Amino acid sequence: MKRIFSLAACAAALSLGVSNAYAQSGGVDKAVGGYSFEEAAKEAPGTKDFHSADGHLTFAIVTHTAGNGFFDPVYVGATVAGNLIGAKVLLLGSESPTDDPAREIEILNQIVQDPTIDGLIMTTPQVGAYNDIVKAAEAKGIPIATTNSFDGTILNRSSIGHTGQDASAAAIAGEALVKCLADKGIEKGSIVLPSSTAMGNIEVNNRVTSAFNAIVKGLQDAGKLDAFKVDAGPENTGIDTNPNDPVNGIVTLFESRGDVVGAFAGNNVFTPALAKAVAQTGMTGKICAYGFDLGPAQQDAMKSGDLTGALGQQPFLQGFWPVMQLYLEIDRGIAAANLDTRAQLVTKETVEDVGKRFEN
């Protein structure tokens, strides 16, 4: 009996040894070129003394509205990235709760003169307004990355990495709106997309257009387009609505149409306003109302049902990746790369998951 047990134990040990051997197979301990990966993974000796030569990297991130909470996760992401690479990250931005490119540019003009700055990250909502900043930074040898809003005309665009949500992601909300109408059994009515081109944010304009196109396509594919009037203004960039009084503007729009069954708002100004207008007109739960961003106002509106859903830009990535991008440019000489953060659709059923790790 003891001999049988001993043989069984030996067989088990042999089996374990073979299993471990198979688990180790395929391991790579050095590069084909002969160097070790451990050595190659180390930071370059001169990285910490890049530009400012003060023994550590300092990056600045500047946004166009730090006053409404949207960019809080961006700042968190930038801080996390800075901690990972041992860099100091200055968190800067306009104090305004609404888009304020003029104040952002004022801050940028100041920070680009700071001799301790080794890299600059900025949002670019106002097309054509940042070329002087780029020139000043490049003249000082400071690398730049842009985040959130995209300016395709910016000086040396192809050499500047961008992290942000492509406006085409708004199609996700348009598709969700069409599905919502079907789920509610709504067969006809007006779908409105209020906005304002006067705000000068081309990304918002493009979002509205993308959502509009997705709604039209969804209804067309379902054979129901003729029963609905989808209105995003004459250029499909939004029905002109006063950004200084968006709630009353949307209420007036609802009342003038009389048959609104769906609505989409493309930014942090009009989305909370849309939710308030839905509540004020007694349309909570009766229409399909979608918006943008996942700030406190949007979350509360989804919980109450005044807003059916909203799209998040995954802004944590919009802070995290630009810091890492600049670090890789400095330490590795890696060329600027773009990251599309896509969109996260949040509804009443999933809103409680938002922000548990400060990521949304």
Side-chain angles (χ1 to χ4, degrees):
M1 193 69 178
K2 287 181 180 180
R3 179 173 176 78
I4 294 174
F5 176 80
S6 178
L7 288 172
C10 288
L14 179 60
S15 174
L16 181 60
V18 170
S19 177
N20 284 341
Y22 279 122
Q24 297 295 330
S25 67
V28 179
D29 59 359
K30 66 178 182 179
V32 174
Y35 59 84
S36 75
F37 293 119
E38 183 177 355
E39 186 65 27
K42 292 180 180 178
E43 184 176 88
T47 292
K48 289 289 194 291
D49 282 321
F50 175 81
H51 185 253
S52 60
D54 56 6
H56 66 272
L57 292 173
T58 299
F59 298 146
I61 181 168
V62 188
T63 74
H64 56 277
T65 168
N68 62 32
F70 169 81
F71 282 104
D72 288 352
V74 175
Y75 295 136
V76 173
T79 301
V80 170
N83 290 344
L84 287 174
I85 61 175
K88 181 179 181 181
V89 181
L90 304 180
L91 311 177
L92 307 168
S94 167
E95 302 85 349
S96 173
T98 58
D99 289 3
D100 189 1
R103 173 61 177 147
E104 180 201 13
I105 292 171
E106 181 182 341
I107 296 170
L108 284 167
N109 279 318
Q110 294 172 350
I111 203 67
V112 79
Q113 303 301 325
D114 188 335
T116 69
I117 297 300
D118 298 296
L120 179 61
I121 301 159
M122 60 184 181
T123 60
T124 54
Q126 188 171 328
V127 173
Y130 304 90
N131 288 347
D132 288 344
I133 304 297
V134 175
K135 288 178 184 177
E138 290 184 346
K140 295 176 179 295
I142 300 172
I144 293 174
T146 59
T147 194
N148 183 252
S149 47
F150 181 74
D151 178 3
T153 70
I154 200 169
L155 184 68
N156 297 333
R157 174 77 272 176
S158 60
S159 65
I160 298 174
H162 180 73
T163 302
Q165 179 190 64
D166 188 273
S168 63
I172 295 172
E175 293 163 0
L177 193 153
V178 172
K179 183 177 184 302
C180 172
L181 293 173
D183 291 345
K184 288 180 178 292
I186 297 174
E187 296 292 334
K188 62 180 180 178
S190 293
I191 301 169
V192 295
L193 292 82
S195 192
S196 173
T197 57
M199 299 181 71
N201 192 327
I202 193 170
E203 281 296 293
V204 175
N205 301 343
N206 291 339
R207 287 176 193 164
V208 174
T209 301
S210 294
F212 170 83
N213 289 337
I215 293 168
V216 169
K217 182 180 185 302
L219 292 173
Q220 195 168 41
D221 290 347
K224 297 182 178 180
L225 183 58
D226 291 343
F228 293 88
K229 181 179 180 181
V230 187
D231 190 355
E235 303 295 327
N236 296 334
T237 55
I239 301 170
D240 188 42
T241 307
N242 185 358
N244 297 314
D245 190 11
V247 178
N248 286 330
I250 297 175
V251 168
T252 300
L253 177 61
F254 283 178
E255 292 175 344
S256 67
R257 300 301 169 93
D259 66 343
V260 174
V261 295
F264 170 82
N267 67 359
N268 195 50
V269 173
F270 286 99
T271 299
L274 171 60
K276 290 180 180 178
V278 167
Q280 286 186 23
T281 54
M283 300 172 76
T284 301
K286 299 177 183 178
I287 73 169
C288 299
Y290 287 81
F292 242 83
D293 299 336
L294 301 174
Q298 286 90 329
Q299 293 180 43
D300 289 343
M302 282 185 280
K303 292 173 184 176
S304 68
D306 297 328
L307 198 63
T308 312
L311 291 181
Q313 301 184 48
Q314 307 200 95
F316 181 95
L317 288 172
Q318 296 180 10
F320 181 87
W321 177 246
V323 171
M324 299 305 293
Q325 170 69 58
L326 292 182
Y327 176 75
L328 291 174
E329 288 184 40
I330 292 168
D331 186 62
R332 297 278 162 179
I334 291 176
N338 299 333
L339 176 68
D340 181 1
T341 60
R342 293 297 292 155
Q344 176 185 20
L345 177 63
V346 176
T347 64
K348 186 174 184 176
E349 290 72 32
T350 59
V351 68
E352 293 294 346
D353 295 331
V354 172
K356 285 185 176 179
R357 286 285 294 158
F358 310 101
E359 72 277 18
N360 293 298

